[in-house]
Amino acid sequence: MTEVELKINDCNWHVQLRDEADISVFNEIFKLHEYRIADEVIEQAVHPIVDVGAHAGFFSMHARSLNKKVKILAVEPEPENIKALEQHVRDNNISGVTVVKAALGLSSGSGKLIVTPDSHNHRLALGFEDHETLVPVTVLSFADLLAQQKITNVSLLKM
């Protein structure tokens, strides 16, 4: 595990990078600025930002660094990613981020997540895959996610 101290937009984040996938996602967001096209939307957001596939929370952290007030939903189904995401939120005292432990799907219910060796290419099993690592997860439709969180408008949906 690699620990990184990051200063961005007046925020001092302490980040733990678990593996190459974390390093890749971290670099996409913070070094290569691959989401910069959304920065203005994030800065001006008044309705919640929904981060689907939140992984370890790096995009949510980026969004919080740009907008200190907007509500952020970090939606993530994979248990190890959830632990990392919750740790980043806790260790950095990030307020206004709600972690939703679920996958987004066509309809709500239960499902199985195919867990891949890296931590960011997981996907919902469609029911016919024979995969050695299937994890039971809660699945929410987008409409049910919004209803559950009492959200009527969204400023940004990152998937």
Side-chain angles (χ1 to χ4, degrees):
M1 187 165 314
T2 303
E3 295 191 19
V4 175
E5 297 297 327
L6 175 70
K7 183 171 177 58
I8 182 169
N9 302 321
D10 297 324
C11 294
N12 294 308
W13 302 132
H14 174 78
V15 178
Q16 293 188 354
L17 304 175
R18 301 167 291 172
D19 54 23
E20 287 183 28
D22 278 6
I23 292 168
S24 175
V25 173
F26 179 88
N27 286 339
E28 287 172 4
I29 294 169
F30 296 113
K31 290 190 176 185
L32 301 173
H33 306 287
E34 290 188 2
Y35 290 95
R36 67 185 166 274
I37 196 165
D39 285 357
E40 186 176 340
V41 172
I42 295 168
E43 290 169 348
Q44 296 176 7
V46 293
H47 302 293
I49 291 172
V50 182
D51 179 6
V52 176
H55 190 249
F58 303 140
F59 179 81
S60 292
M61 294 170 77
H62 172 67
R64 176 54 71 231
S65 78
L66 292 171
N67 186 323
K68 307 290 191 256
K69 295 180 181 177
V70 71
K71 178 178 180 165
I72 299 171
L73 289 185
V75 183
E76 175 59 45
E78 200 278 322
E80 292 304 313
N81 286 345
I82 292 168
K83 284 181 193 174
L85 167 59
E86 290 179 328
Q87 183 172 356
H88 284 131
V89 169
R90 184 176 52 253
D91 288 354
N92 292 290
N93 297 314
I94 303 171
S95 63
V97 174
T98 300
V99 176
V100 179
K101 300 174 185 178
L104 205 60
L106 185 60
S107 59
S108 296
S110 60
K112 301 254 186 225
L113 187 72
I114 297 173
V115 178
T116 58
D118 63 34
S119 62
H120 73 302
N121 284 314
H122 312 311
R123 65 189 181 283
L124 280 175
L126 299 175
F128 55 82
E129 290 95 343
D130 183 24
H131 198 274
E132 55 197 55
T133 311
L134 292 172
V135 175
V137 294
T138 298
V139 179
L140 293 172
S141 70
F142 189 60
D144 287 345
L145 170 69
L146 297 182
Q148 181 186 82
Q149 296 295 321
K150 298 177 176 46
I151 294 172
T152 56
N153 293 299
V154 171
S155 286
L156 179 70
L157 171 62
K158 174 261 179 192
M159 294 177 73

